[in-house]
Amino acid sequence: MTKPSSASHAGSPGRLDELFQVPGARPDPTRARLVLGVAGIAALSALITAIAVPPAPVASTVVNMPTAPTMVTQQRPIVYVQLTPGQSPPPGATVIDAKAPKPITIVTRVPAPAQRAVVVRTTQSGKVIP
Amino acid sequence: MITAERPTRASRVACYSLPTLIVPLTVATTAMGGRLIVHLAAPAGDGRAKHDARRLLSRIGCWADRLSRHLEASELSALNADSRTRVPIGPTLAAALWAAREAADESEGFVDITLLDARLAAEGLSFAELAAGVRRSWSLESGPRRTAVVSRPPGVRFDLGGVAKGWLADRALVLLSSWPSAVVDADGDLSVRCRAGDTWAVALDDPRADGATLAIFHLSAPATGWSVQWGVATSGTSVHRWRRGEILHHHLIDPRTGAPARTDVVQATVVCGSALRAEALAKAAVIAGSTDGLALLERAGVKGAVILTESGETLALPQTLTLLAG
């Protein structure tokens, strides 16, 4: 069964060949081969890029949290470099003993409290002994 | 060797909107040689709140009397006077001693309740001396009906001190379960429960001036969620101290030496999940000194910590800033 639109072109010889194909005839493969070739090259290129090129370092970003009580903006560039025998530390690096405790962040500026009457207090206990 | 770049110090960049603070109904008494206070989020004239608070104070006052080494009739004094190495004890003392074992674990061994004789020796009240660096082991076995049996070497005597206060504060808060926002203050060690949406303001005493405040914590629970329990405790060397000759001594004994701790920390305050834990960790931070103490508190995962040093520095762990009122 043919569509009405196809029937309207049935008079041209080329269309007749398409409608009534001779057994054994094949469409021209050139275009399909070209497309497949280009796609293969693109895929190979992507693979080579992913495997051979080392990943770029991810830049760290400091995110400023939008909520009001967030008070700390800090970077924590804690970089440990395990030196093998014979190596020396990079210029400017602070060298610490391997057994030294891990550095911690300490806040030195504690906000002064507003002068408000607060009922609940935490205090040291005990008494001064004369 | 390891090279390390130290982290940058934190800077404060805050603006802080003041929450609506609880104005509590407060009932107080004295116990354990100090104050015992209940704060409830209730209107000033609420009769049921006053009744509940007074009844609670009476009950935990009785418990405190059983745990005091200053009262001859207390369970603790009876245990200390007992010459046996295995001694059966009642439920209240058993619970407090279990809490003491927990405090020792939490504080990495800095809280040690077997140091009574070392403390009395430091005060000049006893000739007994603790050999330097000697830890004295003791154990508990559960008995029927929440009793227990204490096993200890001959001569070991216990001083519950801050452990009893922290445990009493936490236990008392459990008994106030019908009050969703409540604080029990056991002589400065606080057990705090906060209903969703409420905020308790807790002032941190500045020991350098009478009545001064070093900081104010805002302890709150998210508006949409469960109530939150907090523990806040302060320990230090600037209040309970005395002079022997030219040297100032204090009451915090270092279990590694058997003598008052040589430390650069004047006062440490810890905020965490229970008063018992906060008390143990605050004491440990004082004894350990500022560097090791802050590292210990960081390992313990506390919610906040503020340390005042001999040189006048105020140090805090970064997470503390979210609790501090500006």
Side-chain angles (χ1 to χ4, degrees):
Chain A
M1 204 168 108
T2 57
K3 292 178 184 175
S5 59
S6 299
S8 65
H9 297 285
S12 64
R15 291 294 172 185
L16 279 175
D17 285 346
E18 286 176 17
L19 289 172
F20 305 101
Q21 284 184 359
V22 180
R26 295 285 186 276
D28 182 7
T30 310
R31 189 181 296 171
R33 283 177 183 159
L34 194 64
V35 169
L36 279 173
V38 169
I41 288 167
L44 193 63
S45 172
L47 269 173
I48 288 168
T49 305
I51 292 167
V53 180
V58 179
S60 61
T61 53
V62 176
V63 179
N64 290 314
M65 300 292 285
T67 50
T70 302
M71 299 185 176
V72 183
T73 302
Q74 58 176 333
Q75 294 174 321
R76 302 198 69 177
I78 304 172
V79 180
Y80 295 96
V81 181
Q82 188 77 47
L83 297 177
T84 54
Q87 285 185 323
S88 55
T94 307
V95 180
I96 61 169
D97 194 288
K99 292 175 184 169
K102 181 184 137 192
I104 62 169
T105 303
I106 298 167
V107 179
T108 54
R109 286 188 296 158
V110 172
Q115 294 301 313
R116 308 187 77 204
V118 177
V119 177
V120 184
R121 296 186 78 81
T122 177
T123 62
Q124 295 180 47
S125 58
K127 302 180 188 73
V128 178
I129 300 173
Chain B
M1 303 288 273
I2 292 174
T3 62
E5 192 175 338
R6 289 187 74 85
T8 54
R9 300 218 159 180
S11 58
R12 179 171 176 265
V13 287
C15 58
Y16 197 95
S17 60
L18 284 176
T20 306
L21 305 180
I22 293 171
V23 179
L25 177 145
T26 297
V27 179
T29 185
T30 55
M32 301 177 289
R35 64 181 195 268
L36 193 53
I37 306 175
V38 171
H39 305 280
L40 298 175
D46 191 318
R48 186 174 72 91
K50 283 183 185 171
H51 173 265
D52 285 0
R54 285 180 184 139
R55 199 171 65 165
L56 178 82
L57 288 176
S58 170
R59 190 165 175 190
I60 57 176
C62 291
W63 291 345
D65 288 348
R66 292 177 199 163
L67 305 177
S68 171
R69 69 177 171 89
H70 300 288
L71 299 175
E72 283 187 21
S74 74
E75 279 189 55
L76 183 63
S77 293
L79 171 63
N80 283 339
D82 202 312
S83 58
R84 291 174 293 173
T85 54
R86 283 175 53 83
V87 183
I89 56 172
T92 306
L93 183 55
L97 288 179
W98 284 118
R101 295 208 68 90
E102 186 185 332
D105 291 343
E106 293 282 358
S107 65
E108 300 183 9
F110 280 105
V111 173
D112 185 340
I113 62 165
T114 67
L115 298 173
L116 174 58
D117 286 315
R119 178 165 164 178
L120 294 177
E123 291 180 17
L125 301 174
S126 163
F127 293 108
E129 293 282 355
L130 189 71
V134 173
R135 292 183 187 276
R136 300 201 274 187
S137 61
W138 58 281
S139 62
L140 269 181
E141 295 165 40
S142 295
R145 295 180 206 164
R146 292 179 290 156
T147 61
V149 175
V150 182
S151 298
R152 53 168 183 184
V156 168
R157 301 195 298 161
F158 298 111
D159 177 15
L160 285 168
V163 169
K165 291 172 183 172
W167 175 76
L168 279 170
D170 289 336
R171 189 76 192 97
L173 193 69
V174 171
L175 296 178
L176 286 172
S177 58
S178 60
W179 292 94
S181 282
V183 177
V184 178
D185 174 352
D187 204 20
D189 296 347
L190 312 176
S191 195
V192 180
R193 182 168 48 243
C194 203
R195 173 176 45 200
D198 280 354
T199 300
W200 285 101
V202 175
L204 164 53
D205 215 33
D206 187 339
R208 294 169 294 188
D210 279 347
T213 297
L214 190 61
I216 297 176
F217 295 116
H218 279 175
L219 307 182
S220 57
T224 53
W226 302 99
S227 62
V228 176
Q229 185 167 335
W230 305 80
V232 187
T234 298
S235 187
T237 61
S238 61
V239 172
H240 196 158
R241 62 181 184 174
W242 59 93
R243 186 177 290 280
R244 284 182 75 184
E246 294 299 309
I247 302 171
L248 265 178
H249 289 283
H250 58 82
H251 71 299
L252 296 180
I253 305 295
D254 187 337
R256 298 168 298 186
T257 63
R262 299 168 73 91
T263 173
D264 65 333
V265 176
V266 174
Q267 177 173 286
T269 299
V270 171
V271 182
C272 60
S274 75
L276 174 70
R277 191 158 179 262
E279 206 283 332
L281 290 169
K283 184 180 288 177
V286 176
I287 296 172
S290 60
T291 304
D292 292 344
L294 283 165
L296 186 152
L297 297 177
E298 195 177 60
R299 284 195 298 277
V302 300
K303 293 175 180 171
V306 177
I307 281 180
L308 180 67
T309 68
E310 274 178 338
S311 60
E313 268 190 313
T314 306
L315 309 176
L317 293 177
Q319 59 268 36
T320 316
L321 294 181
T322 58
L323 303 176
L324 291 173

